[in-house]
């Protein structure tokens, strides 16, 4: 019998930032499906071994994760939500380990770069890069390493029984990563969407892209992001990935009808509810109960076959 809990595929292991993002969107009553790569998360969704994928798409410091746009286009799974997660990094070790015992710091290379100011204060520490922040914490626990610390989140410290020696060691305290929630087409119904991720190409001539962008402006549609990537094997041709937000659904529909005249290979990659922002800080998603209600509605839709 299939579990009523949503099975959520993530890149990395439990207590990674991907699982933290999954908890924020679905609540903690989920089954986490650990995957070694972003491609594997799509493969397990395609094979029916997961119901959803949570995938990082951009970071406020490091920028867009470009290969993930190509994955989205290749697999064509719809986007049904997004989460902005504050990236808070802590230094953690086995309980009882003192700072003066530390010889090695290990973490994901991006996390290491984000903690450069802190690490510069301790030039004698050996820095070792790894594939996953949570995996570094797990290794310290499993191998009982008393001379090594990991840079990871509070979930990792809790799950792997580590003690936080230094909190918030990231250089930029306003660091966020945006995660997308993807699922199968059967589960893709979202009520009252107000944001969409689009992909299209335009002709290689003066003003072609401007025509599309002006249509959004004329209809009062906010374009929150635009990302271009070369089309593989076609010099001078680009895919444009655009995120748009709206208040009036009729104006959004009208803008889509108009831009179809000026684009080709047009694809709506997903229509969903945007994660609300409030200044620089971000509002919390609705509490777990409302997320459960949304999930139950989606489950009902998937069983009506």
């Amino acid at each position: 019998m299939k579990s009523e809990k949503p099975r959520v595929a993530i890149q990395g292991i439990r207590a990674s930032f991907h699982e933290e993002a999954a908890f924020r969107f679905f609540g903690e009553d989920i089954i986490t499906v650990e995957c070694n790569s972003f491609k594997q998360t799509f493969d397990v969704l395609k094979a029916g071994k997961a119901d959803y994928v949570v995938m990082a798409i951009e970071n406020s410091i490091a920028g867009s994760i470009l290969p993930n746009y190509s994955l989205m286009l290749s697999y064509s799974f719809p986007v049904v939500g997004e989460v902005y997660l504050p990236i808070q990094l802590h230094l953690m070790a086995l309980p009882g380990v003192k700072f003066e015992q530390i010889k090695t710091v290990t973490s994901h290379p991006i996390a290491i770069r984000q903690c450069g100011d802190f690490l510069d204060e301790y030039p004698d520490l050996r820095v070792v890069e790894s594939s996953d922040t949570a995996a570094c914490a797990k290794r310290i626990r499993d191998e009982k390493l008393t001379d090594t610390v990991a840079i990871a989140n509070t979930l990792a410290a809790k799950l792997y029984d580590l003690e936080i020696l230094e909190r918030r060691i990231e250089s930029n305290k306003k660091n966020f990563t945006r995660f997308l929630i993807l699922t199968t087409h059967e589960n893709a119904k979202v009520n009252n969407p107000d944001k969409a991720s689009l992909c299209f190409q335009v002709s290689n001539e003066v003003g072609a892209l401007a025509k599309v962008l002006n249509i959004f402006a004329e209809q009062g549609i906010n374009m929150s992001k635009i990302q271009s990537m070369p089309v593989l094997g076609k010099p001078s041709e680009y895919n444009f990935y655009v995120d748009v937000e709206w208040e009036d659904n009729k104006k959004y529909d009208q803008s889509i009808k108009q831009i179809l005249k000026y684009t080709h290979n047009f694809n709506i990659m997903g229509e969903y509810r945007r994660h609300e922002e409030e200044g620089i800080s971000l509002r919390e998603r609705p509490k777990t109960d409302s997320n459960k209600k949304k999930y139950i509605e989606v489950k009902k839709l998937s069983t009506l076959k």
Side-chain angles (χ1 to χ4, degrees):
M1 183 177 177
K2 189 174 179 180
S3 172
E4 287 300 311
K5 296 181 181 180
R7 300 170 299 166
V8 183
I10 64 168
Q11 186 273 325
I13 68 171
R14 291 204 59 204
S16 66
F17 284 107
H18 275 82
E19 186 178 55
E20 187 174 350
F23 286 166
R24 286 214 170 200
F25 189 83
F26 295 100
E28 296 188 15
D29 193 21
I30 66 173
I31 297 172
T32 300
V33 181
E34 299 174 342
C35 298
N36 295 324
S37 66
F38 288 115
K39 183 180 184 302
Q40 189 181 3
T41 65
F42 283 88
D43 286 337
V44 298
L45 180 59
K46 184 178 180 180
K49 298 177 181 178
D51 304 305
Y52 297 91
V53 165
V54 172
M55 181 185 72
I57 197 65
E58 63 181 304
N59 176 264
S60 57
I61 296 174
S64 297
I65 305 175
L66 298 180
N68 287 355
Y69 282 100
S70 298
L71 278 174
M72 290 168 59
L73 195 59
S74 297
Y75 282 81
S76 298
F77 288 121
V79 181
V80 291
E82 66 176 356
V83 172
Y84 282 83
L85 183 70
I87 303 301
Q88 300 180 357
L89 297 165
H90 314 292
L91 200 71
M92 56 194 68
L94 286 175
V97 169
K98 305 299 182 184
F99 196 91
E100 51 268 24
Q101 296 176 249
I102 300 169
K103 297 179 181 178
T104 301
V105 179
T106 181
S107 192
H108 189 280
I110 292 180
I112 290 170
R113 288 200 296 272
Q114 291 173 346
C115 299
D117 292 343
F118 176 86
L119 295 174
D120 286 345
E121 297 178 15
Y122 304 95
D124 293 335
L125 292 178
R126 185 170 70 104
V127 177
V128 177
E129 295 183 352
S130 183
S131 60
D132 186 80
T133 55
C136 294
K138 183 177 184 294
R139 178 170 170 261
I140 290 174
R141 193 272 313 266
D142 291 348
E143 299 182 18
K144 303 286 193 293
L145 301 178
T146 58
D147 64 348
T148 302
V149 290
I151 297 173
N153 59 13
T154 52
L155 271 182
K158 181 179 180 180
L159 183 62
Y160 301 116
D161 300 317
L162 300 183
E163 186 176 284
I164 294 178
L165 301 181
E166 296 283 346
R167 292 184 177 273
R168 301 299 305 274
I169 65 171
E170 70 274 10
S171 300
N172 191 316
K173 308 303 181 186
K174 298 175 182 178
N175 182 12
F176 293 87
T177 294
R178 179 185 176 216
F179 296 81
L180 297 180
I181 316 300
L182 301 101
T183 188
T184 61
H185 288 276
E186 292 80 9
N187 284 350
K189 174 68 175 178
V190 175
N191 293 326
N192 303 314
D194 57 8
K195 186 170 184 177
S197 293
L198 314 173
C199 179
F200 55 83
Q201 298 170 26
V202 297
S203 58
N204 187 16
E205 60 184 50
V206 175
L209 180 60
K211 290 178 182 177
V212 174
L213 303 186
N214 283 334
I215 289 171
F216 287 135
E218 290 165 1
Q219 293 293 335
I221 306 299
N222 178 47
M223 186 179 66
S224 58
K225 179 173 183 176
I226 182 169
Q227 178 75 54
S228 65
M229 285 184 63
V231 177
L232 187 63
K234 296 183 178 180
S236 302
E237 292 190 27
Y238 291 84
N239 283 318
F240 291 95
Y241 297 90
V242 174
D243 290 338
V244 294
E245 303 173 355
W246 63 88
E247 302 297 334
D248 187 334
N249 197 64
K250 291 182 179 179
K251 289 186 176 182
Y252 164 71
D253 290 340
Q254 185 62 31
S255 68
I256 295 300
K257 290 178 182 178
Q258 292 181 30
I259 67 174
L260 285 173
K261 302 174 186 177
Y262 303 104
T263 62
H264 54 278
N265 293 332
F266 182 86
N267 184 9
I268 297 178
M269 305 183 79
E271 296 174 342
Y272 49 96
R273 297 288 298 173
R274 65 179 177 258
H275 187 145
E276 294 291 341
E277 297 184 34
E278 202 171 71
I280 296 175
S281 63
L282 292 155
R283 298 174 187 165
E284 295 293 330
R285 284 196 60 81
K287 296 300 181 182
T288 303
D289 285 346
S290 61
N291 280 337
K292 278 185 177 178
K293 181 180 179 183
K294 174 182 67 177
Y295 170 69
I296 291 169
E297 289 173 351
V298 168
K299 292 293 288 183
K300 286 180 179 177
L301 283 167
S302 67
T303 57
L304 294 177
K305 296 180 180 179

